[in-house]
Each structure stands twice: as C-alpha cells, then as structure tokens.
Amino acid sequence: MSDGWRQIALTVARERAGLVEAVLESAGATALTWAELDESPAVFEPAPGQTPLWERLQLRALFAADAPVNSLRATLEDALGSVLEDWQDTFVPDRAWEREWLVHFQPQHFGHGLWVVPTDTTPPDPDGINIHLDPGLAFGTGTHPTTALCLEALAKHPPTGNTVIDYGCGSGLLGIAALKLGAKQVYAVDTDPQAILATQENASQNGVLAKLQVGLPNQLELPLADVMLANILAGVLIELAPKLIAQVRPGGRLVLSGLLKEQQASVLAAYADDCDLESIEVRDDWCCALMQRRLSL
C-alpha cells in the first residue's frame, strides 16, 4: 500500500462532538475536519469564535496508515453510551489529504496583530506578527478552539523576555508564537517524534529556531519557566499537574487548555493548592485557563 492515511468518518450529534474530538485526539488523530450531512463536498473546520450550525455532523479523523484503530469504535461507543452511525474506515492518499486541508486553511487572526497564515498566502496584515504554517502530520494550525484560545491568551499577555515551556508542542505553533511575541527562549516538549520534527521545521521556516530547544520529555533539561503552555487533554493535565507546577517559577503563569467545560472543575482542582486562577475562557465547549503559581510565603 502506498503512503497515506486511515480516515475514520462517523456521524454524531452536535452536543457530543466535543467528547468525540477528545477521544479521537487521545487515540492519536493527526487531523480533524467537520462536514455537513448532505451531498456537498465542502469541509467545515470552525474558525475561532464559530460553531457548526448543524444538529448532526460528520467528523472525519486522520490517523497514520498503520495506526491501530480497530478498537477505536468500541472505545467511542463506550464513551458515548450509544451505537455510532455511519462508521467508515477508508484509506486516503497523502496528496489528496494535503490538498483538502490547504483549500480550507485560511489566515486566522488572534488579536493584537497576531496571525497564522498559510505559507503561500499573502498576510492580510503585512505589518502584523505573522506565523507562516501549513497543515502537517502534527496537530495544530490554530483552527481548533483550544489552540485559538491559547494563541489569544499569548497575544493578550505577550511573554516579552520570558522563558517559556510548550508542553505537548504538536506543530510547535504555540512556542513559535511565544517567540514571535518576544519570548527570550522556548523549550518545546512532545512525546511524538513526528511533533519534534514538525516543530523544528516550522520554527526554522519562521526564523526562530535559534531560540528554541525541542525534544522528547527525557531529552530536555528544562529550566524554571516564566510561562508554561500546556494544550493537552484534561486527563493528562491532571496527571502532570505536580510536574507542570514545579516547572514554573513562583509568580509565573500557566496556560492550560484542551479541557471541556464539564472537565473544568477537576482540572482546576488539580492545580488549586499551588496556583490561583486568573481567568478562564470558553469556546465551543472547550476551556482555556490562565493560572498563576502562588508566590512562596
């Protein structure tokens, strides 16, 4: 079989879409797109601030061609407590997937002059802070609400002169944004070797590789950070809470995202003994919490 992807397509009620997204990402999905349930070929990926209007949606998720997705349907049905409709498992040629994403990936604005722009697209604001990025193997182009909320938080609170850790870096977008916004140094960490390569390539393309160190968790000696970025799933945020807190200097900030509204209380509770909540933003059932590590008494 030639290089390509396993595409899982399934129909879900709109109110369950967030839960299904979380399960698919946890299972290793490298890309997620939405589609209307009609004959139109258009793919809808929500831009920041937008939500799908349809009551029933088709979600398409891409996995590596050799990904063990055979048990995924049962996992999803257990999580939802119901039988999935219209389940499809197909092979997608690599080039067809890239063209589909590039057609629908448009410049995104995250406030305060921060833009994410496809490589071959002229920036809408040439004088803005433009990050050039194309969809790739590692998840993260700014279109998902969790990533968008993190980018907006960074743009609102620029990490000027700060040391930043991007834990679960994916495509490297958040770390690159931090550097474009004035960070002194970024340490990008991910458990996926493909994310390491993607982050290095994207940082080089954006001219910030010299100020970025990237590696697997056991490869990097991390300093105390002024800002910790963690756009990962709720269960991982809870599990890693002691580690992430300890890696931030007293008075430093944690930007935590990837949690659903119903997971908010349990995630915040995992950090409450050592951190104060500054603010929390919600979009499309997803949350991003800004917390500050408490100063030593």
Side-chain angles (χ1 to χ4, degrees):
M1 182 178 290
S2 60
D3 290 341
W5 305 88
R6 292 278 293 280
Q7 177 177 269
I8 301 300
L10 60 149
T11 300
V12 295
R14 183 167 64 87
E15 63 269 17
R16 310 306 301 276
L19 175 59
V20 174
E21 274 190 319
V23 174
L24 290 172
E25 289 177 11
S26 180
T30 59
L32 298 170
T33 54
W34 296 102
E36 286 186 272
L37 292 177
D38 59 20
E39 297 302 317
S40 169
V43 174
F44 178 79
E45 180 164 16
Q50 296 180 336
T51 58
L53 300 178
W54 320 294
E55 288 302 314
R56 300 187 69 74
L57 308 170
Q58 186 181 68
L59 177 60
R60 298 183 183 129
L62 285 169
F63 293 83
D66 59 352
V69 299
N70 293 334
S71 62
L72 182 57
R73 181 171 185 169
T75 301
L76 281 167
E77 289 180 342
D78 286 344
L80 294 170
S82 61
V83 176
L84 291 167
E85 300 178 24
D86 303 329
W87 176 273
Q88 301 174 34
D89 180 359
T90 57
F91 176 77
V92 180
D94 190 39
R95 289 186 179 180
W97 172 78
E98 290 177 353
R99 284 198 300 271
E100 180 175 301
W101 267 86
L102 290 172
V103 165
H104 297 279
F105 178 35
Q106 300 298 319
Q108 303 286 331
H109 186 222
F110 300 97
H112 305 275
L114 179 64
W115 289 82
V116 176
V117 183
T119 301
D120 296 330
T121 302
T122 300
D125 180 7
D127 297 323
I129 302 168
N130 292 297
I131 301 171
H132 293 278
L133 191 73
D134 286 335
L137 294 177
F139 185 79
T141 58
T143 53
H144 192 275
T146 61
T147 310
L149 288 168
C150 289
L151 288 168
E152 290 171 6
L154 280 170
K156 186 177 181 180
H157 305 282
T160 307
N162 288 168
T163 297
V164 177
I165 295 175
D166 181 4
Y167 208 98
C169 59
S171 67
L173 175 56
L174 298 183
I176 293 167
L179 288 168
K180 290 270 192 173
L181 289 163
K184 177 176 64 176
Q185 184 78 39
V186 167
Y187 294 79
V189 181
D190 205 290
T191 58
D192 182 357
Q194 183 60 53
I196 305 304
L197 295 174
T199 296
Q200 290 173 328
E201 181 178 342
N202 290 329
S204 177
Q205 178 175 289
N206 284 277
V208 296
L209 185 58
K211 295 182 178 180
L212 182 140
Q213 292 192 38
V214 57
L216 300 170
N218 60 356
Q219 291 178 333
L220 288 181
E221 184 174 345
L222 298 175
L224 282 180
D226 301 296
V227 180
M228 171 68 72
L229 306 171
N231 182 22
I232 44 186
L233 295 174
V236 184
L237 287 172
I238 293 170
E239 179 184 351
L240 292 180
K243 178 181 180 66
L244 298 183
I245 293 168
Q247 209 62 60
V248 177
R249 66 167 178 81
R253 175 177 282 132
L254 297 92
V255 181
L256 308 177
S257 196
L259 55 147
L260 293 163
K261 283 193 296 186
E262 56 264 32
Q263 299 167 329
Q264 173 183 326
S266 57
V267 172
L268 296 182
Y271 293 79
D273 288 346
D274 301 283
C275 301
D276 295 314
L277 179 65
E278 290 187 36
S279 64
I280 189 158
E281 299 291 335
V282 179
R283 180 169 301 151
D284 300 352
D285 293 328
W286 295 94
C287 302
C288 178
L290 271 65
M291 307 193 78
Q292 184 179 49
R293 185 176 179 186
R294 214 165 282 132
L295 294 169
S296 300
L297 298 178

